[in-house]
Amino acid sequence: MLKAKSILLGVSGGIAVYKSAELVRLLVKEGASVHVVMTANAQQFVTPMTFQVLSNNVVGTDLFSMESESRISHIQKARLPDLIVLAPATANLMAKMAAGIADDYLTTILLATTAPVLVCPAMNVKMWEHPATQRNLRTLVELGYRIQPPAVGALACQEEGAGRLAELGDIMEGSIRLLTPPSLAGKTVLISAGPTWEPFDPVRFLSNPSSGKMGYALAKIASRRSARVHLVSGPCCLEAPAGVERTCVTSALEMRDAILRLSPDADAVVMAAAVSDYRPSERAIQKIKKAQQGLSVLFEPNPDILAALGEVKPPAQVLVGFAAETENLLANARKKLGQKNLDFIVANDLTRKGSGFACDTNEVKIIERSGAVSDLVPMTKEEVASEIWNRVEQLFTGAKD
Ligand code: CTP
């Protein structure tokens, strides 16, 4: 996601500096070129050498260093990055930024840059809650800085509360978001994810091995592209991606109700859920006791949510489905595309390794209404999600033309 991106990491002096070293490693691993600038206080916690080795770039430490200024001036350094991340951002750094003070290498760059800046505060809880810090925070938001709020928990100063540096995964996600063009801004998208559970007694149900990963990846990528995202999720262990409005459901009937309530406002609906086609005709109130003669459960069909959406689809809405198949992939998927009135369908061959249920990768074919088939190479579910949104965006543009 960060390939060929230039990121300047500004490090100010707090105990969380040691976490920033790991952040450099993660950014570099994602393909970013990282340049670190440290304040004098930050260098009291970790030496510039650590950051230099991890980033493989010279660390900026001194505004008046003849050597670094002759190699690349602080003004050039301010022009270079696609993104500036400040982690940790101390109360002092935030105060200086709010006041427009430029009295060292980092604050001078911050005043001279036009790059987006992600501020990741970390400090003692009392310092964070102090009215002056909170006022500075509001000023920074007004000035256009993005804030990755601190996490709540145990602090190095033996106190509890808000002030821990945000989780590195959240800082990475915040950085990726700032670097992602807002190509779905102004659009509302509705996504279903995960399995459904169809209980036949209080402890047993009919379901399937869906993990929800494909639907959650779709929600994450759409949110990164600045869509308003509604996610209707069957039972799974995944956390809602940042900025996503999630409705949790259990059964197919609950999923249908949630989807039909939200779909009229959606510019695009993607049904990635593995909806159970059947539900038990009866549900025992108490746990069914085991017996020697076996157990027969009668099932009745669940409504087809996607087909119902296809019947009432407004002309401008983009409707996307998945086809989970174990045989005749293309023929079966084409049939669903037509029967459910979809704009395109994502066909999944469940017999292939690294594809379909519960894995991080997927190998799919995308079939369009025109009949065109795109055979995608095996890729991560986030990459598949990007391919899907690229096509949805093309359909949005087509609808406008
Ligand atoms: N789907 C749905 N409601 C159902 C079943 C499926 O909305 N009751 C949606 C799925 O979310 C998916 C698409 O329809 O986007 C196709 O689902 P799939 O399980 O592949 O096929 P089915 O239509 O259920 O048909 P079959 O089980 O016979 O393959």
Side-chain angles (χ1 to χ4, degrees):
M1 293 308 300
L2 297 176
K3 243 170 232 136
K5 297 292 179 193
S6 169
I7 296 182
L8 189 145
L9 177 67
V11 183
S12 56
I15 184 62
V17 170
Y18 77 95
K19 295 184 185 170
S20 308
E22 175 69 2
L23 182 60
V24 174
R25 209 185 58 77
L26 294 174
L27 291 167
V28 169
K29 202 169 138 218
E30 284 298 314
S33 147
V34 181
H35 292 261
V36 179
V37 172
M38 301 178 79
T39 65
N41 286 346
Q43 294 166 55
Q44 299 293 319
F45 289 88
V46 173
T47 64
M49 181 59 78
T50 304
F51 286 99
Q52 192 141 316
V53 171
L54 290 170
S55 68
N56 206 17
N57 280 311
V58 175
V59 174
T61 51
D62 183 3
L63 182 58
F64 298 106
S65 153
M66 296 288 281
E67 197 211 331
S68 59
E69 270 300 289
S70 61
R71 213 164 341 126
I72 176 167
S73 78
H74 61 282
I75 298 295
Q76 278 171 297
K77 199 126 188 164
R79 282 191 203 127
L80 271 177
D82 298 300
L83 172 72
I84 296 182
V85 179
L86 302 175
T90 57
N92 186 44
L93 178 63
M94 288 171 65
K96 284 189 192 176
M97 289 163 73
I101 290 172
D103 66 349
D104 65 3
Y105 201 16
L106 181 56
T107 48
T108 310
I109 288 170
L110 287 170
L111 215 52
T113 192
T114 53
V117 179
L118 182 66
V119 184
C120 311
M123 64 197 72
N124 165 270
V125 57
K126 299 283 183 322
M127 291 171 81
W128 173 248
E129 287 170 354
H130 194 286
T133 305
Q134 290 301 311
R135 182 200 56 206
N136 292 336
L137 183 67
R138 284 192 296 277
T139 306
L140 293 185
V141 171
E142 275 164 28
L143 291 172
Y145 291 103
R146 293 293 184 90
I147 312 294
Q148 190 71 55
V152 178
L155 302 170
C157 47
Q158 318 295 325
E159 287 187 62
E160 284 269 330
R164 287 167 65 90
L165 183 69
E167 294 299 327
L168 297 186
D170 293 337
I171 298 177
M172 291 294 290
E173 182 60 25
S175 305
I176 291 169
R177 269 161 197 264
L178 276 177
L179 289 166
T180 305
S183 49
L184 285 171
K187 299 290 183 194
T188 298
V189 303
L190 173 61
I191 299 153
S192 71
T196 63
W197 287 358
E198 312 297 331
F200 50 91
D201 81 3
V203 295
R204 301 183 182 96
F205 53 82
L206 174 73
S207 191
N208 58 64
S210 167
S211 60
K213 284 180 182 169
M214 190 62 242
Y216 276 65
L218 281 157
K220 186 184 203 176
I221 302 296
S223 177
R224 276 184 189 165
R225 295 185 184 189
S226 300
R228 176 170 187 208
V229 184
H230 289 294
L231 175 66
V232 175
S233 173
C236 68
C237 307
L238 303 173
E239 269 181 44
V244 167
E245 297 165 53
R246 180 170 65 168
T247 304
C248 292
V249 296
T250 305
S251 66
L253 291 180
E254 284 172 27
M255 183 171 279
R256 178 200 55 186
D257 292 348
I259 294 279
L260 294 185
R261 179 171 50 82
L262 293 165
S263 61
D265 293 334
D267 298 293
V269 184
V270 184
M271 279 293 296
V275 186
S276 177
D277 287 325
Y278 298 95
R279 65 177 182 276
S281 301
E282 282 177 21
R283 179 176 177 173
I285 296 167
Q286 303 299 340
K287 183 182 169 202
I288 300 171
K289 287 292 173 195
K290 66 173 172 283
Q292 291 307 321
Q293 67 272 32
L295 175 68
S296 297
V297 178
L298 192 63
F299 291 101
E300 60 188 60
N302 265 327
D304 190 316
I305 306 170
L306 189 52
L309 291 173
E311 276 170 27
V312 296
K313 176 174 125 64
Q317 188 179 68
V318 175
L319 191 55
V320 181
F322 277 73
E325 307 296 342
T326 55
E327 57 177 352
N328 303 328
L329 181 69
L330 284 177
N332 284 335
R334 279 200 185 102
K335 211 158 114 195
K336 289 174 190 172
L337 173 74
Q339 280 174 349
K340 303 192 191 205
N341 190 22
L342 309 179
D343 289 285
F344 63 87
I345 193 158
V346 185
N348 236 324
D349 181 348
L350 297 182
T351 61
R352 288 187 92 93
K353 208 166 163 258
S355 189
F357 288 139
C359 41
D360 291 320
T361 53
N362 219 350
E363 187 178 346
V364 300
K365 295 183 197 306
I366 296 184
I367 309 167
E368 285 162 51
R369 230 190 243 268
S370 64
V373 179
S374 312
D375 218 334
L376 303 189
V377 294
M379 53 179 77
T380 65
K381 287 188 171 169
E382 289 190 9
E383 286 165 338
V384 173
S386 296
E387 292 284 344
I388 291 171
W389 291 124
N390 289 348
R391 279 168 178 74
V392 171
E393 284 174 19
Q394 277 166 12
L395 289 168
F396 284 153
T397 333
K400 234 188 323 171
D401 292 344

